[in-house]
Amino acid sequence: MLMKKILCSLFVLSMLNAVAQNKYPITPMPVELKASTGSCEIRQPFGFILHDMDKHADDNGTPLFQEYLRKKLHITKIIDGDTHSYGLPTEIHLGIPEKNTPDGYYELEVKNQQIYITANAIGTFYAYQTLIQLVQKKAGKYYIPNCSIKDYPRFAYRGMHLDVGRHFFSVNFIKKYIDYLATYKYNNFHWHLTEDQGWRIEIKKYPLLTQVGSCRDRTLIGRYGSNRYDSIPYCGYYTQQQVKEIVKYAAERYITVIPEIEMPGHSTAALASYPYLGCTKGPYKVMDTWGVLDDVYCAGNDSTYRFLQDVLDEVMGLFPSKYIHIGGDECPKERWKICPVCQKKIKDEGLKDEHALQSYFIQRIEKYLNSKGRKIIGWDEILEGGLAPNATVMSWRGEEGGIAAAQDNHDVIMTPGSHCYLDHSQSRNEDSVTIGGYLPLEKVYAYEPVPAVLNASQAKHVLGAQGNVWTEYMANPEKVEYMIFPRMIALSEVLWSQKEKRNWNDFEKRLPGIFERLKQAKINFSGAYYDLSPTILPTDNYDGVLYKLETKDKSLSIRYMDNDSKIQMNLPQKNEQGKKEDVLSDVYWGQGKNYSNPILIKSSNTILASSYKGKEQISNTIEQNFIFNKATGKKISINNAPSKSYPGDGAFTLVNGVQNNKGLAKSSEFLGFLSGCEAIIDMGTPSPYNQVVVHALRQEGSWIWQPLTVTVFTSQDGVNYTSMGLTDDFVVSGNSNGTMTVKFGNTSNRFIKVQIENWGTIPSGKPGASNTAWLFVDEIEVN
Ligand SMILES: [Zn+2]
């Protein structure tokens, strides 16, 4: 075909040896990118010559690209045509590939004022996404650098999920979210529509689902377990008309919307609407807090299945997707164990136990959906009690579920919490509540969806992976954006780019451009990548401590403020909510100190630090409080090593001036032992002291117990020690913190030995009973 010939003859380009990354800021990285010199300047009026339009009847990329030109580049004159006679400055030529190509395949060539796209409809859409990423503005004019690209995706399933149950998001934001997915070449949107905290989709046959189930009376404030609530009713659902609009919007962007209707667990909003669906018959209420609830659909009652089939009938009418997600996770069996109807079902069907009843439940629903030509996806709990025959498994509790399912010849979508849960913290210095965990950008990027244990034929069952966005702690679109960006961009490269093309160093080079683009699009992203990484070190002469700050981007400068500089600049106090933003305006940062070498700290101080590019603050502010006592910064050794899981920053952790006061917030702030701990502090030539205070943690739920006893010895020569006393009195000082103090008469002995005894065996009735308790030691204070 003509197109191919033009392409071949035009490929005589001067190729550059190395691809200059800033020139081609494409993410995810294409299969093949050939750089060349020169560029296409986008001039008014921007012209189109569209070839082979008959073969591109289902091409949505071209009209959307035209919309982009009009709205974003303000190109008003765009002409569709079939000849070259217009003589317009820039032409786009569309062609169809001659051979069979992978789904999503495209070739893109930019050659001065000519742009060639060779692809089927989906590939054409992706070619335009790449083209848009290549558009650069210089001196008020738009350019696209010359290049030629061949590209196609590694995985068929490239998903992003959004939970609209915990918090509801408007149709406008859902469309925005779909745009984000399209930009980074995702092709599945997993829409989590029903939850304990809200039923979010209109079902005409069951109007109470939205009249009752879409509203909760109030919402938990702060972290789970706070037991504090607002008093604001929280409501929201999508009408069927809105759902259709969103499905269509996504389809135009080659994104399939997969609805999730949770069952049998996470269903109290449905039970609150129709109490006959539960085992106890209620009353139930739409939940106002998070977690896993005992009330689930009754699995014995046939009316439950009739209800769900009716709901799924309407859902199938709205969503043309091959897959319907039916949840299947986190379903406690407490109610089923004592429900006579459920027990009768177990007996009648010859089931082994309640796990087999869950399996029966899922398989019955699967059979129904299969009969309508659909397939189910379920979370990996659907493996328990026997996997439904045609089910696809979404592996979230690690990789194991996915591995087991693939080895059993089931399709798998990988979403392990360790790498794909974008609700986890991405910074050690988050300034708002997240569900916890720690999933930095690097770790997302490093994810490999195909577990190494799978052989080649099993590996084919791994369809791809997905980023999950649970919204317990995301009450507004800005927070969702903050949590997904830039991590969903890193994940897009995991899913789209060839394994051997993935290169963290290369991705890092593209990051400044990625952030710039997000900024231009007014997207609220996280700058956690630029977080300073702090270390606290002893000084050479054990006098004071050194606070060392490092940044990944060596071109950035670091600024900090200590107490002195804060007093000098008359820094206002934090406001009532403790909001630092008001305090740390640029004006104050401008007066901060420039960091060059580790900061020597010789008395109690609070350091604020951040990285800068010129005058612009790049990283989150980190705040480190140092509390000094006579032992701070002194030489310390411990006679038994801490657990490899909780090594802190070594023995110095116990005298580095940092006291953990937020429970388990930072694991570098304490040492963890499954035994006792014996520490020896060399005080040098101390002034008289008369007490030793050991800071320790107690969190029974995590199997962490206070020390049984603390015994203190002192010595002048480091050989012969005298006992100064012991204590078993643990004084609680915070959520899970406390102190144990040994007092004695004044002494100036140089060496202090502190023996901290492990609690021992966890008593019965407590979490982890009969196991050895953890001993978590924080600071050792000498006064
Ligand atoms: Zn029941």
Side-chain angles (χ1 to χ4, degrees):
M1 105 160 20
L2 177 70
M3 187 66 217
K4 203 72 187 173
K5 276 179 191 156
I6 292 172
L7 274 174
C8 291
S9 61
L10 286 176
F11 262 111
V12 191
L13 300 167
S14 62
M15 299 300 172
L16 300 179
N17 286 334
V19 176
Q21 286 312 327
N22 289 340
K23 197 174 166 194
Y24 302 101
I26 308 167
T27 311
M29 185 54 99
V31 173
E32 189 183 303
L33 164 61
K34 285 181 182 162
S36 67
T37 53
S39 63
C40 164
E41 185 195 334
I42 304 171
R43 294 186 291 244
Q44 288 270 18
F46 194 81
F48 270 86
I49 308 295
L50 301 177
H51 295 280
D52 292 321
M53 277 308 284
D54 53 330
K55 290 175 188 162
H56 274 269
D58 55 349
D59 162 26
N60 305 321
T62 302
L64 287 170
F65 183 67
Q66 293 189 27
E67 195 181 307
Y68 162 81
L69 291 173
R70 284 193 196 94
K71 280 191 181 164
K72 303 284 179 184
L73 307 191
H74 310 293
I75 304 290
T76 49
K77 203 167 174 187
I78 300 164
I79 298 161
D80 293 1
D82 208 15
T83 72
H84 289 259
S85 62
Y86 297 102
L88 293 168
T90 309
E91 299 178 7
I92 292 188
H93 310 257
L94 299 179
I96 304 280
E98 285 175 339
K99 288 182 294 192
N100 278 342
T101 52
D103 228 23
Y105 177 92
Y106 69 91
E107 292 170 24
L108 169 68
E109 192 193 5
V110 181
K111 164 77 174 163
N112 302 325
Q113 297 311 109
Q114 307 297 317
I115 295 168
Y116 302 89
I117 294 172
T118 310
N120 293 315
I122 303 175
T124 303
F125 180 78
Y126 294 138
Y128 282 118
Q129 299 312 310
T130 298
L131 200 56
I132 289 169
Q133 288 193 4
L134 284 171
V135 173
Q136 284 152 36
K137 198 174 182 181
K138 259 184 271 171
K141 286 181 174 173
Y142 293 105
Y143 295 89
I144 304 170
N146 284 353
C147 60
S148 76
I149 291 170
K150 266 186 200 155
D151 201 10
Y152 51 89
R154 179 179 172 203
F155 289 105
Y157 187 101
R158 305 178 302 279
M160 279 289 289
H161 152 282
L162 184 66
D163 164 20
V164 296
R166 274 53 177 263
H167 283 102
F168 177 77
F169 297 92
S170 70
V171 171
N172 273 347
F173 181 67
I174 300 294
K175 286 182 179 172
K176 233 182 186 184
Y177 196 81
I178 288 166
D179 285 340
Y180 298 154
L181 269 58
T183 299
Y184 298 100
K185 303 187 174 88
Y186 283 86
N187 64 351
N188 283 282
F189 170 42
H190 171 177
W191 203 6
H192 184 81
L193 283 162
T194 71
E195 252 310 329
D196 293 314
Q197 294 81 9
W199 182 283
R200 306 285 178 220
I201 177 171
E202 178 189 30
I203 300 296
K204 300 220 156 135
K205 194 163 182 182
Y206 297 96
L208 296 182
L209 284 173
T210 41
Q211 281 168 30
V212 173
S214 74
C215 277
R216 58 179 181 256
D217 294 341
R218 57 179 194 171
T219 302
L220 187 80
I221 297 174
R223 200 180 285 279
Y224 176 72
S226 75
N227 219 15
R228 290 188 297 127
Y229 297 86
D230 63 22
S231 52
I232 308 161
Y234 189 92
C235 307
Y237 70 92
Y238 306 96
T239 65
Q240 295 203 347
Q241 194 49 47
Q242 289 171 325
V243 169
K244 282 182 201 158
E245 191 184 321
I246 284 164
V247 169
K248 179 169 175 281
Y249 188 87
E252 283 165 4
R253 286 149 183 83
Y254 303 95
I255 290 169
T256 303
V257 185
I258 298 173
E260 180 179 354
I261 305 296
E262 267 270 24
M263 61 188 82
H266 285 294
S267 50
T268 48
L271 303 193
S273 313
Y274 296 97
Y276 76 84
L277 296 168
C279 289
T280 67
K281 312 300 172 202
Y284 305 103
K285 64 169 193 162
V286 182
M287 283 313 298
D288 48 18
T289 182
W290 325 122
V292 175
L293 299 152
D294 285 344
D295 284 310
V296 301
Y297 288 117
C298 177
N301 205 328
D302 283 336
S303 60
T304 301
Y305 298 96
R306 266 199 302 280
F307 164 83
L308 287 169
Q309 287 175 9
D310 289 342
V311 167
L312 291 169
D313 281 344
E314 292 194 31
V315 167
M316 284 186 280
L318 296 167
F319 295 90
S321 60
K322 175 171 80 176
Y323 295 112
I324 305 288
H325 202 304
I326 49 80
D329 62 315
E330 296 184 326
C331 179
K333 311 293 185 288
E334 302 311 310
R335 297 289 181 262
W336 294 357
K337 278 180 192 160
I338 50 171
C339 168
V341 189
C342 285
Q343 289 304 315
K344 183 170 184 299
K345 182 65 83 184
I346 288 175
K347 218 173 145 204
D348 290 353
E349 298 291 332
L351 303 171
K352 188 166 148 262
D353 56 12
E354 289 76 22
H355 290 289
L357 180 60
Q358 156 129 351
S359 180
Y360 165 86
F361 190 114
I362 300 293
Q363 294 198 26
R364 187 161 162 179
I365 295 294
E366 176 181 53
K367 212 169 160 190
Y368 184 73
L369 289 170
N370 285 170
S371 78
K372 306 282 176 182
R374 307 297 181 102
K375 295 185 76 177
I376 66 162
I377 301 179
W379 301 107
D380 56 49
E381 283 95 329
I382 66 170
L383 285 156
E384 292 164 8
L387 186 53
N390 305 311
T392 296
V393 171
M394 221 169 232
S395 188
W396 74 281
R397 295 177 299 175
E399 292 186 317
E400 294 74 19
I403 291 167
Q407 287 171 340
D408 201 19
N409 292 321
H410 281 265
D411 284 347
V412 169
I413 296 158
M414 300 302 286
T415 63
S418 57
H419 292 80
C420 294
Y421 269 46
L422 305 188
D423 54 342
H424 290 188
S425 295
Q426 53 203 315
S427 167
R428 299 242 187 240
N429 310 293
E430 294 291 2
D431 52 7
S432 63
V433 179
T434 73
I435 205 159
Y438 178 53
L439 177 54
L441 185 64
E442 294 91 321
K443 195 172 175 191
V444 176
Y445 192 86
Y447 181 54
E448 172 47 46
V450 179
V453 301
L454 298 182
N455 66 34
S457 71
Q458 292 162 346
K460 283 190 187 127
H461 286 293
V462 178
L463 304 181
Q466 174 174 289
N468 287 345
V469 183
W470 302 102
T471 60
E472 284 94 336
Y473 304 103
M474 300 180 211
N476 53 61
E478 290 74 23
K479 182 73 183 280
V480 173
E481 290 178 350
Y482 176 85
M483 297 306 283
I484 65 174
F485 287 114
R487 291 186 293 187
M488 74 165 277
I489 303 177
L491 187 61
S492 79
E493 201 144 304
V494 171
L495 292 168
W496 177 281
S497 303
Q498 300 301 301
K499 194 176 173 185
E500 62 278 8
K501 279 275 165 181
R502 259 163 64 199
N503 179 327
W504 169 251
N505 291 336
D506 182 83
F507 184 74
E508 265 188 311
K509 281 182 199 147
R510 281 174 280 146
L511 264 177
I514 288 169
F515 285 131
E516 188 53 38
R517 223 158 246 279
L518 293 172
K519 205 185 290 173
Q520 278 167 15
K522 296 188 169 62
I523 289 169
N524 184 39
F525 61 91
S526 165
Y529 168 77
Y530 290 110
D531 273 7
L532 297 174
S533 77
T535 347
I536 302 165
L537 304 162
T539 63
D540 286 343
N541 59 356
Y542 299 102
D543 186 14
V545 298
L546 292 172
Y547 190 40
K548 187 178 171 192
L549 297 168
E550 289 172 294
T551 167
K552 288 193 195 90
D553 184 340
K554 302 299 174 203
S555 75
L556 299 177
S557 59
I558 300 174
R559 282 235 175 99
Y560 74 97
M561 290 185 233
D562 54 18
N563 286 351
D564 283 347
S565 53
K566 278 177 263 176
I567 291 164
Q568 269 170 28
M569 69 182 74
N570 196 15
L571 192 78
Q573 295 302 303
K574 287 180 187 177
N575 67 17
E576 215 175 308
Q577 286 78 37
K579 281 192 88 174
K580 277 171 282 181
E581 295 92 303
D582 302 342
V583 178
L584 298 176
S585 67
D586 291 347
V587 180
Y588 293 104
W589 274 114
Q591 299 175 56
K593 299 180 180 179
N594 281 320
Y595 175 92
S596 51
N597 293 310
I599 307 164
L600 174 62
I601 297 168
K602 294 188 78 167
S603 59
S604 295
N605 210 328
T606 301
I607 307 290
L608 302 172
S610 184
S611 64
Y612 276 76
K613 184 177 268 172
K615 284 183 171 178
E616 187 189 2
Q617 184 177 350
I618 300 293
S619 68
N620 293 336
T621 301
I622 59 172
E623 180 172 356
Q624 184 65 62
N625 202 13
F626 293 91
I627 302 171
F628 268 59
N629 61 75
K630 287 184 176 172
T632 307
K634 294 290 180 281
K635 192 174 185 176
I636 183 170
S637 60
I638 43 179
N639 291 339
N640 52 320
S643 154
K644 285 197 178 87
S645 310
Y646 304 102
D649 286 334
F652 192 64
T653 308
L654 303 184
V655 290
N656 65 1
V658 175
Q659 290 180 14
N660 177 301
N661 49 17
K662 288 181 191 154
L664 300 177
K666 284 189 190 173
S667 59
S668 62
E669 291 177 352
F670 48 79
L671 304 181
F673 299 86
L674 276 171
S675 60
C677 164
E678 186 176 274
I680 293 170
I681 304 170
D682 178 353
M683 299 288 286
T685 47
S687 56
Y689 56 91
N690 58 22
Q691 68 170 18
V692 170
V693 184
V694 171
H695 293 251
L697 275 73
R698 178 191 169 113
Q699 204 174 85
E700 289 181 6
S702 306
W703 306 14
I704 302 162
W705 283 64
Q706 71 218 50
L708 189 63
T709 58
V710 170
T711 313
V712 174
F713 304 83
T714 65
S715 164
Q716 191 49 41
D717 57 9
V719 179
N720 302 301
Y721 279 91
T722 311
S723 172
M724 307 301 282
L726 96 168
T727 182
D728 58 4
D729 187 21
F730 183 75
V731 180
V732 175
S733 60
N735 235 344
S736 45
N737 304 70
T739 53
M740 294 178 80
T741 303
V742 177
K743 290 184 179 168
F744 40 85
N746 277 342
T747 177
S748 301
N749 277 347
R750 178 173 170 182
F751 298 96
I752 304 175
K753 181 156 75 182
V754 185
Q755 283 178 347
I756 307 164
E757 197 181 354
N758 187 297
W759 178 269
T761 305
I762 298 171
S764 65
K766 298 290 186 181
S770 84
N771 287 284
T772 302
W774 281 100
L775 168 67
F776 276 28
V777 186
D778 177 7
E779 197 79 346
I780 299 177
E781 217 181 292
V782 175
N783 298 307

